[in-house]
Amino acid sequence: MGWVLLGVGLLLACYTLLRHGLRQAPPPRARPVLRGRTAIVTGGSGGIGAATALELARCGARVVLATRSAPRGEAAAHRIRTETGNAEVRFMQLDLASLRSVRAFASAFLRQEPQLHLLINNAGVSAGGMTEDGFSLPFQVNHLGHFLLTQLLLERLQSCAPSRVVIVASSAHCAGHLCLDTLGRPPPGLLSTFQDYCDSKLANVLHARELATRLQGTQVTCYAVHPGFVNTELFRYAPLWLKPLILPLAWLFFRDAAEGSQTSLYCATHEGLECYSGRYFTNCGLQEPWPPARDDRLARALWEASERLVGL
């Protein structure tokens, strides 16, 4: 019995060292005052989005949780209002897998909300089928839906400037490869699911880069962020055979949602980042993305292709 207890103790010690040694989450920072400022957080009902929305509400911001599920969105908004004492937290329905829903959300928001200072493009999926618009689910949810949403809200962001757009990307962009002729279609090959996700994350980083170029002089700035490896529902659409491999790793080594939200919050609220608009951040600091994500010609071509695909 003694050997068993010793073995269990050693396993727990190893787990603790690995979990806290490998995650390397950035330290929490002092809370800014955000009273009078309005934020949208896509995917705000769970995971990194909910953690981001919670912290923005604690800072006094008016927060709109833009998420697909009405029951989950309403529950999250209620939970955040209760926990923070901030009554200015509401849910609005948004399904990024439907361009029709994106347009409906933007129209409703612009009618109902006079201000917008922070747009946190956080929602994402790692795998899935095809959307009603004929695109792969990851590419539309992660990039095209957010691209359209940002464009539809851009005038409001400019009228309320200084304002910021934060795009949650990933270090997975390093494996991305964008073929503009087949943009939005699932890539071929055995690793199609993984490649599709990586392509969408490369598109996220390039979107921030080109958006910054087009917004120069407007006092609207934007940032792409890698939140770290976070234990969320991102992989809920992953193939069943892959989940037994992912879940133990996520449980052991990935950050929790609050830790994963730190870089998004840093880029949304930290003073003095305006000169870094369009750049890529991780662990609350600048990092150079992989060379394809620094290709200005590719960023411009992606923008133009995305405009065509979403009907702008």
Side-chain angles (χ1 to χ4, degrees):
M1 187 65 179
W3 288 108
V4 173
L5 291 175
L6 179 60
V8 171
L10 287 171
L11 286 172
L12 288 173
C14 289
Y15 162 73
T16 302
L17 288 170
L18 287 169
R19 179 169 171 81
H20 295 284
L22 294 180
R23 289 187 307 175
Q24 297 178 339
R29 295 176 177 270
R31 288 193 179 110
V33 177
L34 298 179
R35 290 184 187 88
R37 298 181 71 78
T38 299
I40 292 174
V41 182
T42 69
S45 64
I48 298 172
T52 303
L54 176 66
E55 189 61 24
L56 292 173
R58 281 180 174 144
C59 295
R62 178 172 177 81
V63 183
V64 175
L65 308 183
T67 191
R68 182 174 57 88
S69 167
R72 291 189 62 187
E74 294 286 9
H78 175 75
R79 184 172 63 250
I80 293 171
R81 288 194 299 267
T82 301
E83 187 168 338
T84 63
N86 183 346
E88 300 293 302
V89 180
R90 62 173 300 204
F91 156 76
M92 292 183 68
Q93 192 162 36
L94 169 65
D95 182 0
L96 289 158
S98 165
L99 298 180
R100 178 171 43 84
S101 175
V102 175
R103 288 189 169 89
F105 170 88
S107 178
F109 179 89
L110 293 172
R111 284 197 314 271
Q112 298 170 19
E113 297 286 342
Q115 297 189 81
L116 179 60
H117 304 94
L118 298 172
L119 174 59
I120 315 293
N121 288 337
N122 163 85
V125 297
S126 63
M130 303 294 288
T131 69
E132 65 182 45
D133 302 295
F135 304 114
S136 78
L137 184 69
F139 199 81
Q140 178 163 336
V141 170
N142 298 352
H143 171 63
L144 288 175
H146 280 127
F147 177 86
L148 176 60
L149 178 67
T150 304
Q151 289 299 97
L152 295 175
L153 298 176
L154 205 50
E155 187 175 328
R156 181 62 51 84
L157 284 163
Q158 289 173 315
S159 69
C160 296
S163 53
R164 296 184 182 186
V165 179
V166 176
I167 300 172
V168 178
S170 168
S171 62
H173 78 272
C174 67
H177 175 75
L178 294 178
C179 181
L180 297 175
D181 293 335
T182 58
L183 200 66
R185 300 182 211 163
L190 292 174
L191 298 177
S192 174
T193 297
F194 174 74
Q195 189 64 56
D196 202 12
Y197 176 74
C198 295
D199 293 350
S200 72
K201 295 290 112 179
L202 174 58
N204 287 157
V205 182
L206 289 167
H207 179 201
R209 191 175 185 90
E210 181 65 12
L211 182 60
T213 298
R214 292 171 183 253
L215 290 176
Q216 287 181 10
T218 66
Q219 289 192 293
V220 181
T221 54
C222 56
Y223 313 89
V225 307
H226 169 51
F229 297 101
V230 184
N231 189 7
T232 68
E233 295 182 351
L234 176 67
F235 292 98
R236 63 188 178 275
Y237 294 111
L240 288 176
W241 64 267
L242 189 57
K243 288 184 178 181
L245 301 176
I246 293 174
L247 295 180
L249 289 174
W251 182 73
L252 281 170
F253 304 126
F254 288 13
R255 297 174 180 175
D256 62 32
E259 292 167 332
S261 69
Q262 291 302 306
T263 303
S264 293
L265 290 163
Y266 176 82
C267 288
T269 64
H270 193 70
E271 294 183 5
L273 296 185
E274 290 77 12
C275 60
Y276 301 115
S277 184
R279 302 287 296 276
Y280 175 72
F281 284 74
T282 184
N283 287 324
C284 297
L286 276 173
Q287 182 173 325
E288 282 298 306
W290 281 60
R294 304 196 301 266
D295 185 333
D296 289 326
R297 275 196 273 187
L298 180 59
R300 185 166 55 252
L302 172 65
W303 182 285
E304 293 168 355
S306 299
E307 282 186 323
R308 291 193 299 271
L309 292 176
V310 302
L312 290 176

